[in-house]
Amino acid sequence: MSTARKVMVNISCLLSLKQGLSLSCPQSSSLNRIRHSSSLPFGASFQRRSYVVASSAFANENREFVIVGGGNAAGYAARTFVEHGMADGRLCIVSKEAHAPYERPALTKGYLFPPDKKPARLPGFHTCVGSGGERQTPEWYKEKGIEMLYEDPVTGIDIEKQTLTTNSGKLLKYRSLIIATGCTASRFPEKIGGNLPGVHYIRDVADADSLISSLGKARKVVVVGGGYIGMEVAAAAVGWKLDTTIIFPENHLLQRLFTPSLAQRYEELYKENGVKLLKGASIKNLEADSDGHVAAVKLEDGSTVDADTIIFGIGAKPAVSPFERVGLNSTVGGILVDGQFRTALPGIFAIGDVAAFPLKIYDRIARVEHVDHARQSAQHCVKALLNAHTDTYDYLPYFYSRVFEYEGSPRKVWWQFFGDNDGETIEVGNFDPKIATFWIDSGKLKGVLLESGSPEEFQLLPKLARSQPFVDKARLQQASSVEEALEIARTSLQAV
């Protein structure tokens, strides 16, 4: 055999697209159709073909591996290709951005700090520094023989011919395609002010740069949305010493995760930092001044909130265009994949935010918008593609946030959550200096959130959430401190 590497790619005889779209219930019946045991989409048969790939540079439009998307998932997938010796002259990344892949969470955290607070800037947070890896600058991709097509998004795909068309008209032929297009920000309707000057959304560096320019001139800032983006952006605005208001329709901050009592603690923290909260509020439209610049938010109750800068953090949508034909999930959105991130079409994979995958630990189909999943799904997918591994992706949901981290902040806040926020809750601690929330269902610990924990305490959380031990609820409720509660949970692991 020559020195060229043999690559195993998965070719499946698959059912129709119509059948693929019929997967609507994210329960065990759906997972049985995806077959965890064989990890094939829709019960398809699994055949293997070997390709001998030359390691020469790109001499024509044929690429062995193409990744579409330039975010976290693409960067970590590239590193995995490199680690397996399969990147040089074989891998092409097609991105709509002007930058090499970077750690996107920085955009709503350190990147938004004011100039005197040591803000984060590229190349400081290119992947894969977020997980302690090497910083993959544009030079890194060149050195590794990876072709990067910047600012040239894919506009079309010919599935039968295995070709992609880019915005510039370039035609790319692939053997294996990894879709890592992530999400796009949900936008406020243009007809009621969503595109006025002074209105911002954050998904990339260009968005963040535009917002920073506005913050430097702003006096009154309104953040729309009480989730991750809203909380992080509002905390950054405090660092600029701006009059800041958060408007959101829910009853409390981060309603999809925080309990009402936990949210109250954080709301008090924001108020202590001068942030005003308008809960349960709906926006009717945005108003402009005589120059056409945004000037106020008009609410459905007829009141108005003055603002010269508005940031919308009202969710995101999976960026599936132009890949609808690959097979979408109608329940959680995104592109439907199996436990190796294979779609219902041969040679096509989807990872990161855009993938609707079997969440094995909870027996349901899920789509996770988080950097941790982007990293792990990318690595799992590439390893499965290159080595024909059939291990099912076994992801443990993990979320975190960091706010008020800039220099001079009276209190820096960092919380982590692992598991599932299902069941009754037990809260321990008074938020000064820390607090923990435990989710318990049928006596089993399903999830845990900890704020201001030590490194050792944070390391305990995934062990608890994955093991799901039975815990003594009465003892947990009587715990006098977070440390005592975590110790009670720790001892319950011994019985698992």
Side-chain angles (χ1 to χ4, degrees), residues 98-110:
H99 306 276
Y102 52 85
E103 305 284 357
R104 201 169 298 273
L107 296 180
T108 54
K109 299 179 178 68

Side-chain angles (χ1 to χ4, degrees), residues 262 426-429 434-438 448-451 482 485-486:
L262 182 61
I426 296 176
E427 187 175 287
V428 181
K434 63 177 64 175
I435 195 168
T437 303
F438 302 85
V448 57
L449 181 147
L450 175 63
E451 192 272 311
V482 171
L486 290 174

Side-chain angles (χ1 to χ4, degrees), residues 30-218:
S30 299
L31 293 180
N32 287 336
R33 265 175 274 175
I34 291 187
R35 288 194 182 181
H36 279 189
S37 59
S38 63
S39 299
L40 296 177
F42 311 111
S45 61
F46 176 38
Q47 303 171 358
R48 294 177 178 174
R49 280 170 51 185
S50 301
Y51 291 120
V52 177
V53 184
S55 60
S56 60
F58 298 100
N60 51 45
E61 297 305 312
N62 298 325
R63 275 81 177 167
E64 181 63 21
F65 310 111
V66 173
I67 299 172
V68 179
N72 280 283
Y76 281 80
R79 182 178 73 172
T80 309
F81 275 111
V82 169
E83 291 171 345
H84 285 75
M86 296 302 294
D88 189 6
R90 300 174 174 93
L91 175 62
C92 173
I93 298 178
V94 188
S95 175
K96 68 179 181 180
E97 292 203 49
H99 306 276
Y102 52 85
E103 305 284 357
R104 201 169 298 273
L107 296 180
T108 54
K109 299 179 178 68
Y111 202 88
L112 295 184
F113 292 172
D116 62 335
K117 306 294 185 184
K118 298 182 179 179
R121 290 290 180 269
L122 289 173
F125 57 96
H126 279 298
T127 59
C128 294
V129 297
S131 60
E134 183 179 5
R135 182 177 290 112
Q136 298 169 193
T137 62
E139 291 71 28
W140 181 90
Y141 290 90
K142 291 180 182 178
E143 292 169 359
K144 303 302 181 183
I146 300 172
E147 182 182 27
M148 295 292 298
L149 301 181
Y150 297 107
E151 297 183 280
D152 197 12
V154 169
T155 55
I157 179 172
D158 188 321
I159 292 171
E160 290 72 25
K161 294 181 180 180
Q162 293 184 285
T163 56
L164 301 169
T165 303
T166 71
N167 188 61
S168 69
K170 185 179 289 292
L171 192 67
L172 305 175
K173 187 169 181 62
Y174 63 85
R175 284 217 175 125
S176 294
L177 169 66
I178 298 177
I179 303 169
T181 45
C183 287
T184 59
S186 297
R187 303 180 74 88
F188 195 65
E190 181 177 0
K191 64 181 180 180
I192 50 177
N195 285 351
L196 287 173
V199 174
H200 298 270
Y201 307 85
I202 302 182
R203 287 303 298 181
D204 56 34
V205 166
D207 293 336
D209 284 340
S210 177
L211 175 56
I212 289 169
S213 177
S214 286
L215 291 176
K217 299 173 288 188

Side-chain angles (χ1 to χ4, degrees), residues 1-7 51-53 84-86 90 387:
M1 181 178 176
S2 69
T3 57
R5 294 288 302 270
K6 182 182 288 187
V7 181
Y51 291 120
V52 177
V53 184
H84 285 75
M86 296 302 294
R90 300 174 174 93
N387 300 321

Side-chain angles (χ1 to χ4, degrees), residues 245-377:
T245 302
I246 307 178
I247 300 175
F248 53 99
E250 296 84 10
N251 295 324
H252 60 75
L253 288 174
L254 199 55
Q255 188 157 303
R256 64 174 174 167
L257 177 59
F258 285 177
T259 64
S261 59
L262 182 61
Q264 183 180 355
R265 310 276 189 163
Y266 283 94
E267 290 170 8
E268 290 171 354
L269 174 67
Y270 275 76
K271 291 176 182 177
E272 291 170 2
N273 280 274
V275 178
K276 294 180 284 292
L277 303 175
L278 292 182
K279 300 186 287 185
S282 297
I283 298 175
K284 183 176 182 180
N285 62 273
L286 306 184
E287 298 181 343
D289 60 19
S290 58
D291 295 325
H293 191 279
V294 70
V297 178
K298 186 171 184 178
L299 303 179
E300 288 288 356
D301 64 7
S303 63
T304 59
V305 181
D306 292 339
D308 49 45
T309 298
I310 299 176
I311 306 99
F312 279 90
I314 53 176
K317 299 177 181 178
V320 295
S321 180
F323 301 108
E324 290 90 346
R325 284 188 60 205
V326 173
L328 306 181
N329 178 271
S330 60
T331 302
V332 300
I335 297 172
L336 186 63
V337 297
D338 69 359
Q340 284 72 51
F341 296 95
R342 293 176 292 196
T343 70
L345 294 174
I348 301 181
F349 304 75
I351 59 177
D353 294 0
V354 77
F357 66 98
L359 187 57
K360 181 179 178 181
I361 189 172
Y362 301 126
D363 196 30
R364 63 176 183 252
I365 300 296
R367 193 177 60 79
V368 176
E369 298 172 10
H370 194 265
V371 63
D372 181 63
H373 165 63
R375 296 166 179 168
Q376 294 197 42
S377 63

Side-chain angles (χ1 to χ4, degrees), residues 10 46 48 340 342 380 383-391:
N10 306 325
F46 176 38
R48 294 177 178 174
Q340 284 72 51
R342 293 176 292 196
H380 189 97
K383 290 175 183 178
L385 189 163
L386 296 179
N387 300 321
H389 287 171
T390 57
D391 293 339

